Every structure is written in C-alpha cells, then in structure tokens.
Amino acid sequence: MRTTDKPAATDERPVLARFPRPARLAGYALLLGFALLYALPFLVQLSTSFKSDPEAASHPLSLLPAAPTAAVFEQLTGSGGGGEGVPFMRWLGNSTLVTVVVTLGRVAFDSAAGYALARLRFRGRALLVAFVVAVMAVPPVVLLIPKFLVLNTLGIFDTYTGMIVPLLFDAAGIFIMKQFFESVPREVEEAARIDGAGVGRTFWYVVLPMSRPALITVTLLSFQGSWNEFTHFLVATQSSDYETLTTGLARFVSGGLGAGTQYPLKLGAALLSTIPVAVLFFCFQRYFIRGANAGAVKE
Amino acid sequence: MPTTATERPAPPPAERRPGPARVPGRSPTRTIRGREGLWGWFFVSPMVLGLGLFLALPILMAAWVSLLDWDGQSNPFTPDADFVGLDNYRSLLAEDGLARTLLATSLRNNAYYVLLTVPLQTALSLTLAIIVNQRMLRGRSMLRTTFYFPSVTSSIAVCTVFLFLFQGSGAVNQLLGWIGVKGPNWFQDSRGVLWVLLDAMGITDGVPGGFLADHRMMGLPFSEWLAGPSVAMCTLILLAVWTTSGTFMLIFLAALQNIPRELEEAAALDGASRRHVLRHVLLPALRPVMFLVTTLGLIATWQVFDQVYVLGQGDPANTTLTPAYLSYSYGFDNAEFGQGAAISFILLAIVLLMTGVQRFLLRERGGRGLSGRGLSGQGPLRQRLAAGAARGAVPAAAKSGPGGKPEHGEGKEAPRAHD
C-alpha cells in the first residue's frame, strides 16, 4: 500500500510480478506444482531402478525404495551376470562409437560448409544456401523408406558405415554455423588476408578460434542428436549386433513382456542411457538453450 | 530473409572495402576471388555429396519405388521391377479395402493428436515462458532447466518412463485414486474419449449405432471419425505436450525478452492492469512467435513415430496408428515398400500443405498485427528473434543498424552504420 504514492512505472519489477502477497503465495504453490510435474517422472524413474520387481509393481509411487538394491545396475553393467535379452554394454558401445564419430564429423563438415556459405564467394553459392534451407524442411519421417533404399543400394545396410555416414550431414548445423560466421566482423579476416594468409589459413587460425561458442553449440547438439537418434538406426540396421541404446531399449521395452514385469530393469537402462546427455545438459545449459532458439529461426 | 540478400550478385569489390584498404586496380582482388571459388567448393563438397546422397536422392528413389510393387529384396532400379503405376496410391485413397481403412484410421488418429497437442503445447509453453520471465522470481534458471530437461532426453527413455507411470496399476492411476477417480487401463483402452465422456454424462449408451455406424467415409464409419482420440492416444498426447513444452517455452522466452520494457511501463503508466498488459501488449507482440511455434508444432505432430513405436505400435485396435508408423510398418513388417513409400508421400503432402497454410497465415498477420499497433521497431519480431539468437553467439553482432531493416544481409557494412 505504501508504494501507491509512487508511480507504478518506476517499479523495477515487470508488471506481472507486482502481485499482492496472497496471490504471490498461490503463484509459488502453482509453480511448485508445475516443477513437480516436470521433475517427478524422473524422480520416480530414479527410485524405481533401485526397487525390486514386486516392490515396483505394488508401490509405483513411493520415492524411497523400502529395500534399495543395485541389482539392476549390476545386471546391466554385466557385473551381476548379464541381463537376459539386455546386452546393455553392447548397446552402450555402439551408441558411443556412433555418437563420437558423428559428432566429430558434423563439427568439421558443418563449420566448413557454414563458412563457405557465409563468407566465400563462388558460383552456385546462393543455390546451395537455398538447397540447405529446403533440406531442413524435409520431414525426417518421410525419409524412413527412402533411406533404407539408398543404404540397400549402396550395400551399406546393416553396417556401421550405414549407421554413421548418413548422420554426418546435417543441414541444421550448417545453418547455425552459417548464421554465426555471418556475424563475425569481416575486418579480422581482411586483416589476416592482407597479411598474406590464404583462405584455409584464415579459416583455421583466425576464424575457427573465434567460433568457440558456435562450435560448442554444434558439438553439443550433434552429441545429443546422435545419442538420442532412433529412427535412422531402426531402418539402417537389422541384426542385434548393431543395436544402440535407443533401438535396443525400444525393442526391449515395447516387446510383449506384459505389464508390470522387469520395470526396474527397463527404467534403470533408460536412466543409464540418459545420464551422458543429462550431465552435458546441466553443465552447458546455455549452449543447449541457444540451440533451441537457433532451431526456431529456420528461415 | 538472409537468402534474398545472398542471391544478389556480389557488389563490386572496390565498394566493399572501407577506407585505406581500397586498391585501385582489380587484378589482386580477382586472384583472391578466384582462389576463393576453389576453396568454397572444397569446403562445401562433403556437404553437397552427403545431403544429396542421403536426403535428395532418397526422395527421388522413393518416388520411383512408390510406383512399384517392391518387396525390399530385388533391385528396384532394373527393368524387371514390378511397375504398377499409381496402384499403390489408388488402393490407399480410392479403393475399398484394408489399405484405405488403415490409412483413414491413421489419418483420423493423427488429426486428433495434432488438434489436441498443438494448442495444449502452445498454451502451456507460453504460460511457462511468462512465469520464467518474471524477474522477481527466485530460482528462475532452475525452473527453466526443469521445464526444458524433458526435451533434451531421448524420446525412447522418456517413453519407457511413461509406460511405467501409466500402467493399469501404475503411479498415475494411484494418484487419481487419491482423489477418488478410477483411472482407465491407459494403454489398452481403445474407446474414443468423446464416447467415454458422453457415456459418463448419460447422453449416449456406449458407441452409438444407427446412422453414425452405418455411413462411412474412406471406409471408416462416421462414429469412428467422430470418436475423438482413444484413451491410449491421450497418453501420447500428454507425452508430446510434456516433452515439447520446454523447447517452445525457450522460443517464447527469447521473444518475451525482446519486447521493450518501455512498452510494459508505458502501459502501466496509463493505468493498465496486469491482465490488460498481458492481453493488449504482450500477446499482440508475441503473435508472430505464436505462429512460429504452432507451425513447428504442426510439422512435428504430423510425424509422430518414436512414441507410437514404443507405446503401442498402433494398438489398441489401431487407435494409436499414425501415417508415419503405418508407412514404416508396411515397408519393414510386411515387406510392401511400394505401398509404404506411397504413404510417406501422402504424409509429405500433408506436412507441406500444413506448412503452406501456416506460411500464408503468418505473412498475413505478421505484418498487420504488429505494425498496425505501432510497436516500435516492428521489423517482424521473428527477425529480432533471429538477431537475438545470433547475438547469443557473438556479442559484436548485437547492434546492426537501426530498427533492423528487413533487407540487411551480409552485404551491409557495420562501420557505415556507426559513423
């Protein structure tokens, strides 16, 4: 009430924050509810992976396991005799291999192509920019059968090559890098050129070192994208040797095992497969957030 | 928008160099440009090859295969391939039969999925963005992280969690039990929610028969077209809303932070209430972003696949079947790749149509909605959003020209604007 003698506009707070106390308390309660809505599933997942099968079935909501057991994780990591039908370490190995190679490749190709499209003048560049934009508009799901066709024709269906190579080329990453390079001040490059550096040297020694934020963004997005990739692996492979965390887990989970069975194992596997991305996310949030907005301006 | 600028031929070299760097002759420039061409192609060649081979070529090949009866074994690009013309499309769209009924069912399912998911995710993400944008709020960044985290995790892992939560005797039904509601057997319940609701209110008795059941469109009875999403489909909708709202929240948040604070303050000075500010200042300014978010939502929701694969594979009673999954299952489960490819082209047509409609609406309203209200720097908000994203990456690029004129691509020289 005392604030009324001053005009509201000089208040530092944005308009929506100027709620009376009870309203604000209610607001906080609502917020807590929202936050729980987003966090609770993960908490339930975490606690369930430490439960036994019967306990998970009878007390799905209790957040503290009555008799915590790490049996699931021993089974998954193989120290407890391997899970039947869950060669988790194999999936993990495949996912890691594919993700590392794809991420490295994407960073290299995206930055090179992005730089050329942003800065170098050559015949056909405008057309290529249009091509990249058009490719981003192609709905990935439409490509399921087409991809299989190409992999089959090239003879790389059900191989690591077939899993990795098509993922190396990613129009969105090229676009992010291109946008970034366009915002780099030209003077720096001009100076390098005048000092006698060629295009390659300028790119490698001058432009790339300046591009750390964009490179980190593309690296993280590539990592997350290929770690979580599902449909491509689903159509590019057949034998269980090539199963990744996503395809393996999907087959394991969607199989007709009946409700209520082995949920601690399923949730534990899902939990372990989430951890790398989760760790990166919590360490490098702002780069992920930047990526979300970069994805929004596909124009 | 940057593309229009890049399509223009490069301005003469002399004009591009400010001040002392200007060289009268043309020959040194030309050699640099000449080598640039080679370097340019060297830099883009992997991308051209890759995108061409794994994105452009497949589409052409699939267009061909959609005209074949192909089982995935023989080589479809030899003369003895079984060419059937438009038969695949005909059986999907025009002829009575299983294929058409399945496609109609999947379209019906997906349409309900889109109709519910897109408005819900947009409303929820806008709400979250407005909450997280409150400067006074403590722990805003933690909230933002909490809301965004589901969008970052793998869809398969998240589906696994949902499978557990929504089981018949699972956590969700236990929660519902506390408030005296007996939850359904989510993943097994194929009843359309409309009939469930009408039944509960005593208006109908189960699924209506008579006229609605007897008359069909594309091989599907009217009662099924009207039934609404099945209970099982509702879990997919909840899942989609829950996982995508974080991403869209960030898009809204970026837009909110681009709205000049003076606008809010001016409105407050004029005595506008909070609700008025929200309705007459914030929402109109957000309209272009709203359209952007709904476009992205529309495109994504017509392609739902992972969740269908994990949660039901079309079951129960085909009520979670979607065109994307149907296409996959025709090809990889039944070895009818021709039919599967035809479905994916029908899906492509739908997505393109949706995008086209949204583009059209966006253009109409984006211009009028903002400039008509006299917002300062109305250069479409989308553009400022783009600038914001770029600014996040490079601080140096933050201030490029006054008000952001529509046509500033890379040709613009920063120094001139400052002097």
Side-chain angles (χ1 to χ4, degrees):
Chain A
M1 280 297 123
R2 271 178 296 136
T3 51
T4 41
D5 50 11
K6 288 202 167 188
T10 59
D11 197 329
E12 268 302 292
R13 293 169 289 170
V15 177
L16 291 178
R18 280 181 235 125
F19 281 98
R21 196 145 208 236
R24 209 178 308 162
L25 282 181
Y28 272 109
L30 190 74
L31 263 188
L32 191 70
F34 263 127
L36 275 180
L37 205 62
Y38 283 80
L40 207 54
F42 294 111
L43 297 178
V44 169
Q45 178 187 21
L46 181 68
S47 80
T48 307
S49 5
F50 288 98
K51 290 176 186 170
S52 63
D53 279 5
E55 199 198 341
S58 54
H59 302 285
L61 255 180
S62 68
L63 285 182
L64 286 176
T69 162
V72 161
F73 299 105
E74 283 166 15
Q75 202 178 337
L76 289 173
T77 54
S79 48
E84 54 286 6
V86 190
F88 187 81
M89 295 316 272
R90 170 107 215 164
W91 301 346
L92 183 68
N94 283 339
S95 274
T96 310
L97 171 77
V98 171
T99 302
V100 168
V101 179
V102 167
T103 305
L104 290 176
R106 275 198 192 176
V107 171
F109 292 140
D110 290 354
S111 52
Y115 183 67
L117 294 182
R119 276 289 197 264
L120 303 181
R121 332 217 128 254
F122 58 96
R123 209 172 284 251
R125 186 185 65 158
L127 205 69
L128 284 180
V129 173
F131 175 63
V132 170
V133 173
V135 158
M136 277 197 295
V138 175
V141 160
V142 170
L143 289 170
L144 291 186
I145 288 180
K147 258 190 189 160
F148 167 74
L149 267 168
V150 170
L151 297 176
N152 210 26
T153 312
L154 294 177
I156 51 173
F157 173 70
D158 213 24
T159 63
Y160 283 121
T161 317
M163 291 168 79
I164 291 170
V165 176
L167 287 186
L168 289 177
F169 308 99
D170 144 61
I174 294 175
F175 198 73
I176 293 177
M177 291 310 295
K178 173 180 163 290
Q179 297 287 80
F180 175 85
F181 289 129
E182 272 169 4
S183 68
V184 171
R186 226 174 240 280
E187 289 76 11
V188 187
E189 287 163 74
E190 304 269 328
R193 296 284 185 86
I194 289 163
D195 288 349
V199 175
R201 270 171 168 272
T202 312
F203 177 64
W204 188 254
Y205 290 107
V206 179
V207 179
L208 270 190
M210 289 173 66
S211 323
R212 249 194 32 197
L215 289 176
I216 296 177
T217 301
V218 169
T219 306
L220 290 169
L221 290 183
S222 302
F223 186 95
Q224 181 219 3
S226 42
W227 188 265
N228 292 343
E229 177 63 52
F230 172 64
T231 44
H232 172 67
F233 300 144
L234 191 64
V235 300
T237 63
Q238 192 172 35
S239 53
S240 57
D241 282 353
Y242 297 108
E243 250 163 8
T244 60
L245 287 170
T246 49
T247 57
L249 188 62
R251 270 190 247 266
F252 174 47
V253 167
S254 67
L257 284 163
T261 59
Q262 288 194 301
Y263 266 109
L265 188 61
K266 291 174 181 172
L267 291 172
L271 181 71
L272 287 186
S273 72
T274 314
I275 285 177
V277 169
V279 168
L280 283 183
F281 174 70
F282 287 113
C283 296
F284 299 98
Q285 273 186 63
R286 60 200 185 105
Y287 295 96
F288 278 92
I289 286 167
R290 191 172 294 166
N293 275 313
V297 286
K298 296 178 174 179
E299 273 294 309
Chain B
M1 264 147 238
T3 42
T4 53
T6 51
E7 271 154 19
R8 260 186 268 132
E15 198 187 298
R16 321 198 79 259
R17 315 195 143 204
R22 187 178 297 179
V23 185
R26 290 186 60 191
S27 49
T29 321
R30 177 173 276 173
T31 53
I32 287 177
R33 293 284 176 235
R35 257 186 272 141
E36 251 187 51
L38 278 181
W39 276 105
W41 275 103
F42 174 68
F43 275 18
V44 294
S45 51
M47 167 209 106
V48 171
L49 255 162
L51 290 184
L53 196 57
F54 294 107
L55 280 152
L57 183 68
I59 296 181
L60 297 178
M61 288 166 87
W64 167 246
V65 165
S66 78
L67 305 176
L68 301 180
D69 183 11
W70 186 55
D71 62 356
Q73 299 300 317
S74 59
N75 184 347
F77 305 104
T78 55
D80 36 287
D82 197 355
F83 187 81
V84 295
L86 291 176
D87 273 7
N88 287 327
Y89 293 94
R90 207 169 295 136
S91 69
L92 285 168
L93 296 170
E95 278 160 24
D96 255 345
L98 183 63
R100 194 172 70 160
T101 311
L102 283 179
L103 180 70
T105 311
S106 72
L107 288 176
R108 192 260 329 234
N109 297 338
N110 213 336
Y112 279 119
Y113 179 81
V114 173
L115 230 68
L116 282 169
T117 304
V118 173
L120 282 175
Q121 73 190 170
T122 309
L124 181 60
S125 51
L126 178 59
T127 312
L128 296 180
I130 290 179
I131 291 174
V132 176
N133 196 33
Q134 300 306 302
R135 260 160 253 239
M136 275 302 282
L137 195 63
R138 258 173 236 165
R140 284 183 309 152
S141 69
M142 225 180 81
L143 274 176
R144 196 181 56 188
T145 309
T146 313
F147 296 150
Y148 186 40
F149 185 61
S151 320
V152 180
T153 53
S154 123
S155 57
I156 308 300
V158 164
C159 285
T160 310
V161 179
F162 263 60
L163 265 177
F164 177 69
L165 293 177
F166 280 86
Q167 298 170 82
S169 57
V172 171
N173 279 354
Q174 214 169 72
L175 274 178
L176 288 175
W178 290 352
I179 54 167
V181 178
K182 192 187 173 301
N185 203 340
W186 296 91
F187 295 114
Q188 264 101 58
D189 200 332
S190 65
R191 291 173 301 162
V193 284
L194 185 66
W195 300 147
V196 173
L197 286 178
L198 291 178
D199 200 15
M201 291 188 292
I203 297 173
T204 59
D205 185 18
V207 177
F211 176 82
L212 286 179
D214 295 340
H215 288 74
R216 292 166 174 260
M217 191 169 96
M218 279 185 80
L220 205 63
F222 277 4
S223 55
E224 301 233 336
W225 281 106
L226 291 175
S230 69
V231 174
M233 185 52 113
C234 287
T235 57
L236 269 86
I237 292 170
L238 288 174
L239 175 63
V241 172
W242 186 70
T243 44
T244 52
S245 46
T247 311
F248 289 145
M249 170 197 73
L250 290 179
I251 297 176
F252 275 126
L253 195 60
L256 277 173
Q257 288 173 349
N258 270 322
I259 296 176
R261 295 242 349 253
E262 299 81 54
L263 267 180
E264 275 180 54
E265 280 162 12
L269 259 185
D270 290 346
S273 72
R274 283 183 296 269
R275 194 170 307 156
H276 277 99
V277 172
L278 179 65
R279 251 201 54 210
H280 299 291
V281 178
L282 295 187
L283 287 186
L286 283 178
R287 187 172 288 160
V289 187
M290 195 94 80
F291 273 89
L292 174 72
V293 165
T294 44
T295 310
L296 292 176
L298 271 178
I299 295 172
T301 44
W302 272 107
Q303 298 184 59
V304 52
F305 180 86
D306 301 10
Q307 294 82 348
V308 177
Y309 184 97
V310 176
L311 293 184
Q313 309 218 337
D315 286 340
N318 284 337
T319 58
T320 61
L321 191 67
T322 62
Y325 188 79
L326 186 64
S327 154
Y328 167 85
S329 132
Y330 258 114
F332 294 90
D333 296 339
N334 307 346
E336 292 181 36
F337 285 88
Q339 195 86 321
I343 297 172
S344 60
F345 276 98
I346 293 172
L347 181 59
L348 178 65
I350 294 173
V351 173
L352 290 182
L353 188 76
M354 292 288 146
T355 323
V357 169
Q358 279 289 315
R359 278 273 156 92
F360 179 72
L361 291 172
L362 191 78
R363 194 166 303 151
E364 280 286 286
R365 302 241 197 137
R368 218 185 302 150
L370 272 180
S371 51
R373 274 160 223 269
L375 275 184
S376 66
Q378 72 286 65
L381 224 110
R382 223 156 23 120
Q383 203 170 348
R384 285 205 264 142
L385 189 62
R391 185 184 326 139
V394 191
K399 296 249 158 63
S400 64
K405 278 197 73 181
E407 298 271 30
H408 73 281
E410 47 158 27
K412 178 143 187 163
E413 297 290 355
R416 269 190 66 215
H418 286 300
D419 296 344

